[in-house]
Amino acid sequence: MTMEKQLSPNHLLDVTLHTLLIALSLFAAFLLRFDFRIPEGVGPVFWSALWLAGLVKLPTFFYAGFHRGLRRFAGLPEVPGLLFGNLVASGAFGVLALAWLGRRLPGSIVLLDLLLCFLVTSLARFSERLYREILQREAPISRAKGILIYGAGAAGAALSRDIRANRSTGYEVLGFLDDNEDKRGTLIMGIPVLGSGREAAAIVNRLNKRCSRIEKIVIAMPSCTGRQLREALANCRAARVPCQIVPGLNKLLTGKVLTAQIRDISVADLLGRKPVELDEAPIRSSLEGRSILVTGAAGSIGSELCRQIAKFQPAGLIAFDQAESELFKIEHELRERFPQLPVVAALGDVRNAARLSEVMGQFRVESVFHAAAYKHVPMLESHVLEAVSTNILGTCNLLNAACTHGAANFVMISSDKAVNPTSIMGVTKRVCELLVCNQPGDRITKCVSVRFGNVLGSNGSVVPLFQAQIAAGGPVTVTHPGMQRYFMTISEAVSLVLQASTMGNGSE
């Protein structure tokens, strides 16, 4: 690529600017060398040196990339490059000046010119950032939203810098919170570390009394564990201030500025571990080219099952549910995302054995994923007959239809509550497991059950209830003081179901 093709109008402006800076630094070097009184006979030497400096330094600065740096995002890592470029340019300038001008050009001028040129080119590179972060800081922001940043580390400093450089965000950082006592009272870009996270409520009250209204706390701790994040969230909740989070710095490669990625805290953030990723190869081999039936397809688990199954290119996907509106939504979504996939929305109830048999026979179903069930524990305690009818009899109807029509696989989604069940919901799921696991060995259909714990964000999960209780200021209630809950994401749960469909020999 030629220099002419690389130069844009902005680059031409940079060339003009660097030409002026080269002339300015050389002129200043002459002034300093001769105590601001340049002798008459030195004038021709100056003009010759200026012509030579421009001839040598401009190409050197160009190939060193001085024109490529965006001043708005200039940082310390660029300083060595600026220094190296100036050293090379001044070295070449000194050698040529010695060969052409000889002793008429004092060596001290070359050294002074190097220092001054490095200084002015660095100031030019940092000019826009200095203006945005220092000079614009003095300008008052009308109706600025006061925020605190929880985490006085690299991410917190980067967020503060980004907010200061983008005044249009309407934010103003009034302080940092950090649990490291050594940081208390220190300044980060002129902003104080006010105290620890546990002091958030007192700090917010103190600032609010000074008419510095705190409207938000942003957690900027991308490397924190799930436990640390939950503790930080609890501290923010105690201050009764809305709380958001900055994602990990590895996610900033999307090209968005840091402030654009501030978001509400997701339940997945509180998981405390990385989501599990399973082997897709056996799943693809068991689903690709097959006709798949998913019951409860309008629910959170069933709909995610449909989405993930659709990625493995089945011959057809039958979404079965009694919820008409939600079934229409998932059908519409699947048709948009997977236009080549034959999708059928089948209205029906698993308690209707005839309807199940009709669907199985009409679409020649080869694999069944049974996600239809009632699962709200407290509600089922007072609706025992409905729980038995839907969970147990519905599973029995579907299992018989699958075996009658020769389906190859039957996967029933169970629950951790089926382990030593103490609730109606757990009892019905345990009975369903026994039905699935006690199929005769001579049947074609391979039947398995899979258990998982609470699924974050799913219908019937306790998490949405906890979220609503926290948003209302508490208290957070549990069904029993001794209850233990095990959490996973919807994606993890569904991947586990698909993996289970490829494992074992049946009746497991």
Side-chain angles (χ1 to χ4, degrees):
M1 184 179 291
T2 64
M3 184 182 297
E4 289 77 6
K5 290 181 179 180
Q6 287 183 356
L7 287 176
S8 66
N10 288 335
H11 294 162
L12 290 174
L13 288 176
D14 274 340
V15 170
T16 303
L17 173 63
H18 284 110
T19 302
L20 294 174
L21 295 178
I22 291 169
L24 177 63
S25 61
L26 185 62
F27 181 65
F30 269 84
L31 287 177
L32 291 173
R33 171 61 179 80
F34 295 105
D35 296 328
F36 296 93
R37 293 181 182 180
I38 300 178
E40 293 183 4
V42 178
V45 177
F46 167 74
W47 291 111
S48 298
L50 179 60
W51 182 85
L52 187 60
L55 183 65
V56 173
K57 288 190 176 185
L58 280 177
T60 305
F61 287 174
F62 178 84
Y63 285 108
F66 282 21
H67 66 288
R68 293 198 298 266
L70 294 176
R71 297 188 187 90
R72 181 177 180 181
F73 303 107
L76 289 179
E78 298 183 40
V79 174
L82 291 170
L83 178 59
F84 179 74
N86 275 281
L87 284 172
V88 173
S90 293
F93 168 60
V95 171
L96 292 178
L98 180 63
W100 186 24
L101 299 175
R103 295 185 177 180
R104 290 186 297 163
L105 182 68
S108 58
I109 289 182
V110 177
L111 293 177
L112 286 171
D113 175 63
L114 167 62
L115 296 175
L116 291 171
C117 198
F118 170 65
L119 178 62
V120 295
T121 52
S122 297
L123 285 175
R125 176 63 60 85
F126 284 86
S127 58
E128 185 172 348
R129 179 172 168 184
L130 290 171
Y131 171 74
R132 287 178 175 273
E133 296 188 7
I134 298 177
L135 298 180
Q136 274 198 342
R137 182 187 174 191
E138 305 301 328
I141 308 176
S142 58
R143 300 180 181 178
K145 300 176 182 178
I147 68 171
L148 295 177
I149 297 178
Y150 198 130
L159 175 61
S160 175
R161 184 184 304 112
D162 192 56
I163 289 173
R164 183 173 291 176
N166 296 276
R167 311 293 282 179
S168 59
T169 60
Y171 294 138
E172 183 179 9
V173 182
L174 300 179
F176 287 90
L177 301 174
D178 200 284
D179 295 329
N180 187 343
E181 291 295 327
D182 294 336
K183 295 183 180 180
R184 181 191 292 268
T186 58
L187 296 177
I188 298 177
M189 301 178 62
I191 302 171
V193 179
L194 300 174
S196 66
R198 294 191 176 186
E199 299 173 287
I203 291 171
V204 168
N205 290 334
R206 184 171 70 247
L207 291 175
N208 288 344
K209 289 179 181 179
R210 298 177 184 175
C211 299
S212 301
R213 183 68 182 173
I214 300 296
E215 298 189 18
K216 185 184 298 184
I217 297 178
V218 180
I219 298 176
M221 299 188 298
S223 60
C224 69
T225 63
R227 181 175 182 179
Q228 290 171 326
L229 180 57
R230 290 192 292 271
E231 182 179 350
L233 179 58
N235 293 332
C236 295
R237 294 293 187 187
R240 296 185 178 275
V241 175
C243 178
Q244 291 184 309
I245 191 172
V246 173
L249 294 180
N250 61 318
K251 296 182 181 179
L252 302 184
L253 298 177
T254 58
K256 298 180 181 179
V257 294
L258 197 55
T259 49
Q261 301 201 43
I262 296 175
R263 58 172 173 79
D264 292 332
I265 294 178
S266 164
V267 290
D269 293 323
L270 307 178
L271 190 61
R273 56 177 172 80
K274 292 183 178 180
V276 175
E277 296 181 2
L278 301 176
D279 185 11
E280 291 188 353
I283 299 176
R284 179 174 296 278
S285 63
S286 69
L287 297 179
E288 190 172 14
R290 287 191 172 188
S291 178
I292 312 295
L293 171 68
V294 178
T295 67
S300 53
I301 299 297
S303 61
E304 181 63 20
L305 265 171
C306 291
R307 294 184 191 98
Q308 292 201 26
I309 289 172
K311 295 188 299 183
F312 295 101
Q313 300 176 335
L317 178 58
I318 301 92
F320 187 92
D321 205 292
Q322 63 174 341
E324 177 191 14
S325 298
E326 296 304 316
L327 185 61
F328 173 80
K329 290 180 183 178
I330 187 61
E331 178 195 21
H332 182 70
E333 178 187 338
L334 291 172
R335 291 188 186 279
E336 278 197 343
R337 291 180 58 184
F338 307 96
Q340 304 301 321
L341 174 66
V343 177
V344 176
L347 274 175
D349 193 322
V350 292
R351 292 175 292 189
N352 187 336
R355 175 59 175 156
L356 287 173
S357 181
E358 176 188 358
V359 171
M360 292 287 300
Q362 180 180 354
F363 299 105
R364 298 181 180 179
V365 174
E366 298 172 80
S367 294
V368 178
F369 292 86
H370 181 34
Y374 286 148
K375 54 185 179 179
H376 286 274
V377 174
M379 183 172 290
L380 295 189
E381 292 298 311
S382 55
H383 294 81
V384 179
L385 292 180
E386 289 297 317
V388 171
S389 176
T390 298
N391 291 4
I392 298 178
L393 297 182
T395 299
C396 187
N397 291 337
L398 184 62
L399 189 59
N400 289 335
C403 294
T404 300
H405 290 276
N409 301 93
F410 182 97
V411 181
M412 199 275 292
I413 299 176
S414 188
S415 165
D416 59 349
K417 297 177 182 64
V419 183
N420 299 322
T422 58
S423 64
I424 295 298
M425 188 272 192
V427 168
T428 59
K429 281 296 185 181
R430 180 57 184 151
V431 172
C432 291
E433 289 179 353
L434 294 174
L435 287 171
V436 171
C437 293
N438 284 280
Q439 293 301 304
D442 57 349
R443 287 195 174 184
I444 300 175
T445 306
K446 182 177 71 175
C447 303
V448 297
S449 298
V450 58
R451 293 173 179 164
F452 46 75
N454 273 270
V455 180
L456 295 174
S458 68
N459 297 332
S461 169
V462 73
V463 175
L465 174 62
F466 286 170
Q467 286 181 304
Q469 290 175 335
I470 292 172
V476 175
T477 59
V478 293
T479 53
H480 190 276
M483 173 69 73
Q484 286 185 320
R485 297 185 183 273
Y486 305 90
F487 293 96
M488 61 178 64
T489 65
I490 292 179
S491 177
E492 281 181 313
V494 170
S495 296
L496 178 61
V497 172
L498 296 179
Q499 190 81 59
S501 68
T502 68
M503 298 169 61
N505 298 313
S507 298
E508 294 156 304

